[in-house]
Structures are given as C-alpha cells and as structure tokens.
C-alpha cells in the first residue's frame, strides 16, 4: 500500500507572487467585463449555451489579447454561470414557479409558461417587455 507523502512548501518568491496576482487580476477584470455585457436582457439568449457567449465575446472584441486565451475562456464560462445562478436565485426568491402554477389553470398554458421559464432567451424577451413566441420546442 502506497502512502501519500506531503512535502513542505516554501512561500512564493516575489516574482511568482507578482505573476500570480497579475493572472488573478486579469481573470477578474475579464469576468467583470463579461458579466457587465450579460446584464442586458437582450443578450440572455447567449446564456442557453455557454459556448455561444464565448463566440459572441470573441467576435465583438471583448477578449483581451495579452492574456492566455484558455484563462479568458474560463472567465467567460464563469460569467455565464454567475448570471444563470443570479437569475435562478431571483426566481427562487420570488416564488415564480409557484405563482405560475397558481396563475395558469389550463394545462397547456401552464406547460407553455414553464417552457418560457426554462429558456433564458425567452426570459430575456419577457424582461424586455415582449411576449415570447409559441415556438418553444
């Protein structure tokens, strides 16, 4: 049976510490920019697939050029996840699904309402004052 050996670690030297702080700073700056863009309800359709937001961010020049692209990709995916969690927490706090159940008595309308709540593109359209289309399949 093998045993895991724990090695003593030394504190980071100044150069490695500065490099680590720089990477963390670039990551948080990129995520902040991504979340700011995703605040627009018109872009919530990009939340349905995280790779679609990554592609959107690349085509609109939101990606910084001097940083590792894999790190920025992870920041984009993290921003999408953060926005999704925020929207879901708002739904949970406001008891949206329970209110939907009480509001719609017809099974077809209830099913349609829940389908609208399942897609972020439809939620963004509703938040923008529109009505989502009946083609949610």
């Amino acid at each position: 049976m093998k045993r895991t050996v724990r090695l003593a670690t030394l504190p980071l030297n100044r150069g490695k510490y500065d490099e680590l702080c720089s990477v963390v700073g670039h990551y948080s700056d990129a995520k902040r920019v991504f979340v700011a863009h995703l605040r627009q309800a018109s872009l919530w359709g990009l939340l349905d697939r995280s790779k679609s937001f990554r592609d959107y961010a690349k085509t609109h020049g939101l990606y910084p050029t001097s940083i590792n692209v894999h790190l920025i990709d992870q920041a984009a995916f993290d921003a999408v996840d953060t926005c999704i969690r925020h929207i879901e927490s708002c739904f949970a706090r406001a008891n949206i699904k329970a209110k939907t159940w009480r509001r719609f008595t017809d099974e077809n309308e209830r099913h349609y309402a829940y389908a609208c709540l399942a897609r972020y593109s439809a939620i963004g359209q509703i938040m923008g004052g529109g009505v989502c289309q009946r083609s949610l399949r």
Side-chain angles (χ1 to χ4, degrees):
M1 184 173 198
K2 293 184 179 181
R3 291 186 179 198
T4 303
V5 178
R6 292 186 142 209
L7 300 175
T9 58
L10 299 173
L12 294 175
N13 64 28
R14 191 69 188 161
K16 289 181 182 177
Y17 179 78
D18 291 341
E19 182 68 25
L20 183 63
C21 288
S22 171
V23 168
V24 169
H26 289 306
Y27 180 88
S28 63
D29 290 342
K31 183 180 174 185
R32 188 175 306 114
V33 168
F34 295 149
V35 169
H37 270 73
L38 285 171
R39 284 184 186 159
Q40 303 172 39
S42 61
L43 295 179
W44 285 5
L46 300 173
L47 297 176
D48 290 328
R49 288 185 49 241
S50 59
K51 290 183 180 181
S52 62
F53 176 70
R54 180 195 63 189
D55 297 340
Y56 168 85
K58 283 182 179 180
T59 58
H60 284 79
L62 298 178
Y63 267 51
T65 56
S66 62
I67 306 162
N68 184 340
V69 71
H70 299 294
L71 180 72
I72 302 304
D73 282 346
Q74 191 59 44
F77 296 144
D78 194 19
V80 168
D81 187 52
T82 299
C83 291
I84 288 172
R85 287 176 187 263
H86 176 71
I87 293 168
E88 293 294 328
S89 71
C90 291
F91 280 2
R93 286 182 131 187
N95 295 323
I96 296 293
K97 292 187 178 182
K99 289 176 182 176
T100 302
W101 178 264
R102 287 191 300 267
R103 168 69 173 85
F104 298 104
T105 56
D106 181 33
E107 283 299 317
N108 291 332
E109 287 181 349
R110 193 176 281 164
H111 178 74
Y112 175 67
Y114 282 131
C116 287
L117 293 176
R119 295 185 57 201
Y120 297 105
S121 57
I123 295 168
Q125 191 175 3
I126 292 168
M127 294 297 289
V131 178
C132 53
Q133 302 295 319
R134 288 292 263 196
S135 62
L136 294 176
R137 289 191 177 103

